[in-house]
Amino acid sequence: MKIFSEIGSYLILLKNVFHLPENPRLYRKKVLFELRVLSLDSLPIIAVISIFVGAAIVIQLAANLSNPIYPRWITGFSSREGIMLEFAPTMINLVLAGKIGSHIASEIGTMRITEQIDALDVMGVNSASYLILPKIIACVLFSPVVIVVSIFLALTGGWLAGTLTGVISSYDFIDGLQLDYTNKSLIISLVKGLVYSFIISSIPAYRGYTVKGGALEVGRSSTKAVVESCITLIVANLIITNLLL
Amino acid sequence: MIEIKKLYKSFGDKTVLNNINAVFETGKTNLTIGRSGSGKTVLMKTMVGLETINSGQILFDGKDMVSMSKKERHLLRESIGMVFQNGALFDSMNVADNVRFPLRMFTNMTAGEMDKRVDFCLDRVNLGNVHTFTTSELSGGMRKRVAIARAIVTNPKYLFCDEPNSGLDPQTSILIDNLIKEITEEYNITTVVNTHDMNSVMGIGEHIIFIHQGNLWWEGTRNEITNTTNQELNDFMFNNELTKLLKASVLEKTVK
């Protein structure tokens, strides 16, 4: 029963979040601030993970598909589909769930226990909207950038690793990348990214906003936020994959 | 003026406020005193709308907050200033931005007008030179004064202070008390202060209510408090050697 009560509270909070802002100018500034803190600052870790995991995927696939019965383009083709459909949207957002999720939950949670949220409420500010909406907008707006950057770097990392280690020729890899390419995979990837970025920003915000107690509870809610975001993301991934493919 | 009528508040089965009736007059420093856990913070939170009540009325200049529309309540909240126990300053902003925040949110003032108002309020709390300080650079007393400056920046009609001198040394406590009293009289606002500080009671308590186990146990002025025969209030107020001596000396003077 508790899970239904939690989902209900989460939906009520979202109703308050999507509310007309008291001062749109101030919200715009806050969105720009959150874009820097939550999104731009995440680019280095996205870049590192994308390059190295992309490289590992290509080496692994090339090794597994070395049998001559497989066409030579299969490694490039499989790498492209795997990276575009699963790695870039799902794996990267799982990583971001840890980085961004814990940041959001602990920031809002600390504001809650130090009465800063109460101070906003007493002033007449819709604290849920003021604190959470800019974070969600920043994450969702930046999501396509994250996906495209991650795909590009993962494929580049794969191409570099494959050609430098000699497991696949540059021609075969690029041939595989271009084979039967349509924008469908990219669109699915972007749609997944938008949904996941909403999940990894709104669930931690809910956990932080509803925290009660002291510093210990903020830490616990932060951990809870990351775990719940990851599980929700994985379940959403299964549903979207089934619906869109 | 704020009037509370037949106010009940409970958390689950536990009644926290039981049939509270009180009047907090304009231009006076109204004190709510009581032991920790007596219900005074809950009472203040219900008055500012942070907690819902089970039944009763909270009248702000005759208008019941409980039955107000969302818009009316929003407007009322803009006329409320509150000083929280630990200041509740926004960590992400410096001192000036903390004070400027309500102006940016709710007024159409120009940047110059806002700067002037922020300067005035910070000067008023004797903090004219800390505009660019971060909140972590402030001492406890300074945090409270910045919180007061932020609370009065929009010219509120009602000022609520939740234990404004907790954790402060006696001298700073007196400074904060005097500031609250001066601001109350200067701007003719309705001020409600939660405290369990004896100095505050004797220094600024023009109208005092004593909450005990969720009930309004006693009501009066600072002059009446020393003569009270109310056992629970006596136990609360005069519980150490210093306060006992103080009471004896006041009574002696009265007899003379």
Side-chain angles (χ1 to χ4, degrees), chain A residues 19 22-23 25-27 29 110-111 114-116 118-125 130, chain B residues 45 48 50 74 77-78 80 82 84-85 88-91 93 101-102 104-106 150:
Chain A
H19 199 270
E22 288 87 5
N23 185 338
R25 197 163 40 95
L26 216 58
Y27 274 57
K29 279 188 180 173
T110 306
M111 288 188 77
T114 55
E115 295 182 313
Q116 292 176 53
D118 286 347
L120 285 169
D121 287 334
V122 170
M123 282 176 200
V125 178
Y130 177 73
Chain B
K45 284 190 170 177
V48 296
L50 288 175
H74 190 84
R77 279 184 167 179
E78 286 179 28
I80 290 175
M82 183 157 179
F84 286 84
Q85 201 170 344
L89 300 178
F90 304 127
D91 298 330
M93 303 176 194
F101 181 81
R104 288 173 70 190
M105 195 52 112
F106 297 114
R150 186 177 69 182

Side-chain angles (χ1 to χ4, degrees), chain A residues 16-243:
Chain A
N16 290 332
V17 167
F18 293 101
H19 199 270
L20 275 181
E22 288 87 5
N23 185 338
R25 197 163 40 95
L26 216 58
Y27 274 57
R28 270 201 299 275
K29 279 188 180 173
K30 213 156 175 335
V31 169
L32 291 175
F33 174 78
E34 300 295 356
L35 265 173
R36 184 178 64 77
V37 174
L38 297 178
S39 307
L40 278 176
D41 288 356
S42 303
L43 275 181
I45 191 169
I46 292 168
V48 171
I49 292 171
S50 298
I51 290 170
F52 283 91
V53 176
I57 288 172
V58 170
I59 292 172
Q60 190 74 52
L61 279 173
N64 292 342
L65 303 170
S66 58
N67 193 313
I69 62 161
Y70 298 117
R72 281 181 298 181
W73 47 259
I74 192 87
T75 303
F77 177 79
S78 307
S79 302
R80 184 193 79 197
E81 291 300 293
I83 286 169
M84 284 183 87
L85 291 170
E86 283 305 319
F87 169 72
T90 312
M91 290 299 291
I92 287 296
N93 273 297
L94 278 173
V95 172
L96 289 181
K99 185 184 180 289
I100 294 177
S102 58
H103 177 99
I104 292 176
S106 55
E107 182 191 321
I108 297 179
T110 306
M111 288 188 77
R112 168 62 76 195
I113 63 160
T114 55
E115 295 182 313
Q116 292 176 53
I117 293 180
D118 286 347
L120 285 169
D121 287 334
V122 170
M123 282 176 200
V125 178
N126 177 349
S127 59
S129 175
Y130 177 73
L131 293 173
I132 300 171
L133 189 58
K135 291 186 195 323
I136 294 178
I137 292 175
C139 287
V140 172
L141 271 184
F142 205 69
S143 163
V145 179
V146 169
I147 300 294
V148 170
V149 166
S150 173
I151 291 170
F152 173 76
L153 290 176
L155 292 176
T156 308
W159 172 72
L160 276 173
T163 51
L164 289 176
T165 55
V167 293
I168 187 169
S169 73
S170 178
Y171 175 82
D172 287 340
F173 185 74
I174 292 171
D175 188 35
L177 288 187
Q178 291 173 334
L179 188 78
D180 286 341
Y181 177 78
T182 61
N183 281 332
K184 193 185 171 194
S185 298
L186 182 65
I187 290 167
I188 292 172
S189 188
L190 292 175
V191 169
K192 281 185 173 183
L194 291 176
V195 175
Y196 303 161
S197 57
F198 179 79
I199 289 170
I200 63 168
S201 53
S202 62
I203 291 178
Y206 166 72
R207 279 287 160 222
Y209 195 82
T210 52
V211 75
K212 281 188 181 118
L216 203 64
E217 279 76 13
V218 173
R220 278 193 194 128
S221 80
S222 190
T223 310
K224 216 171 177 181
V226 174
V227 172
E228 287 172 353
S229 301
C230 291
I231 292 170
T232 314
L233 194 154
I234 294 292
V235 174
N237 182 43
L238 184 65
I239 295 168
I240 296 172
T241 306
N242 264 312
L243 286 176

Side-chain angles (χ1 to χ4, degrees), chain B residues 3-248:
Chain B
E3 211 174 336
I4 292 173
K5 288 183 179 173
K6 294 180 182 173
L7 192 143
Y8 287 87
K9 168 74 187 168
S10 63
F11 292 112
D13 295 337
K14 196 187 174 199
T15 302
V16 184
L17 295 171
N18 183 27
N19 192 22
I20 303 286
N21 292 283
V23 175
F24 300 111
E25 287 175 37
T26 306
K28 277 188 179 175
T29 315
N30 302 278
L31 262 55
T32 309
I33 59 172
R35 286 202 175 96
S36 298
S38 60
K40 56 187 191 306
T41 298
V42 177
L43 177 63
M44 184 168 278
K45 284 190 170 177
T46 59
M47 286 161 78
V48 296
L50 288 175
E51 291 283 357
T52 53
I53 60 172
N54 293 75
S55 65
Q57 287 183 307
I58 303 168
L59 303 161
F60 284 81
D61 290 319
K63 286 181 186 169
D64 185 15
M65 187 180 79
V66 181
S67 58
M68 274 180 188
S69 67
K70 216 173 174 183
K71 198 178 173 186
E72 284 175 318
R73 196 179 287 201
H74 190 84
L75 285 172
L76 172 70
R77 279 184 167 179
E78 286 179 28
S79 64
I80 290 175
M82 183 157 179
V83 179
F84 286 84
Q85 201 170 344
N86 295 312
L89 300 178
F90 304 127
D91 298 330
S92 56
M93 303 176 194
N94 66 21
V95 167
D97 285 341
N98 259 285
V99 180
R100 192 181 287 115
F101 181 81
L103 299 177
R104 288 173 70 190
M105 195 52 112
F106 297 114
T107 69
N108 293 319
M109 282 183 173
T110 62
E113 287 169 336
M114 280 192 233
D115 287 344
K116 255 188 193 173
R117 181 72 190 150
V118 170
D119 290 346
F120 173 81
C121 291
L122 283 173
D123 281 340
R124 186 65 197 77
V125 297
N126 304 318
L127 285 174
N129 54 352
V130 298
H131 287 58
T132 56
F133 281 34
T134 59
T135 54
S136 57
E137 290 174 297
L138 302 173
S139 67
M142 286 162 104
R143 288 179 75 89
K144 296 280 167 67
R145 282 188 281 162
V146 174
I148 293 172
R150 186 177 69 182
I152 62 167
V153 75
T154 50
N155 282 321
K157 285 169 76 179
Y158 315 99
L159 179 65
F160 294 87
C161 307
D162 188 16
E163 298 185 24
N165 34 28
S166 67
L168 300 180
D169 63 86
Q171 268 189 318
T172 314
S173 290
I174 293 167
L175 194 94
I176 298 286
D177 283 343
N178 290 340
L179 194 60
I180 291 169
K181 188 171 164 53
E182 282 164 25
I183 286 167
T184 302
E185 288 168 0
E186 214 171 299
Y187 304 112
N188 195 36
I189 51 185
T190 309
T191 299
V192 182
V193 181
N194 271 356
T195 187
H196 33 214
D197 184 6
M198 181 68 184
N199 275 330
S200 302
V201 174
M202 299 313 286
I204 60 168
E206 290 172 280
H207 171 234
I208 303 159
I209 63 168
F210 173 56
I211 306 280
H212 181 65
Q213 292 174 348
N215 296 288
L216 200 154
W217 214 256
W218 182 89
E219 192 170 1
T221 65
R222 62 185 154 181
N223 297 323
E224 291 163 351
I225 211 162
T226 44
N227 300 317
T228 182
T229 52
N230 187 306
Q231 189 57 45
E232 284 77 14
L233 181 58
N234 268 319
D235 290 346
F236 170 72
M237 290 292 294
F238 308 106
N239 55 5
N240 60 46
E241 288 310 312
L242 189 68
T243 49
K244 279 176 190 164
L245 277 172
L246 181 73
K247 184 178 182 181

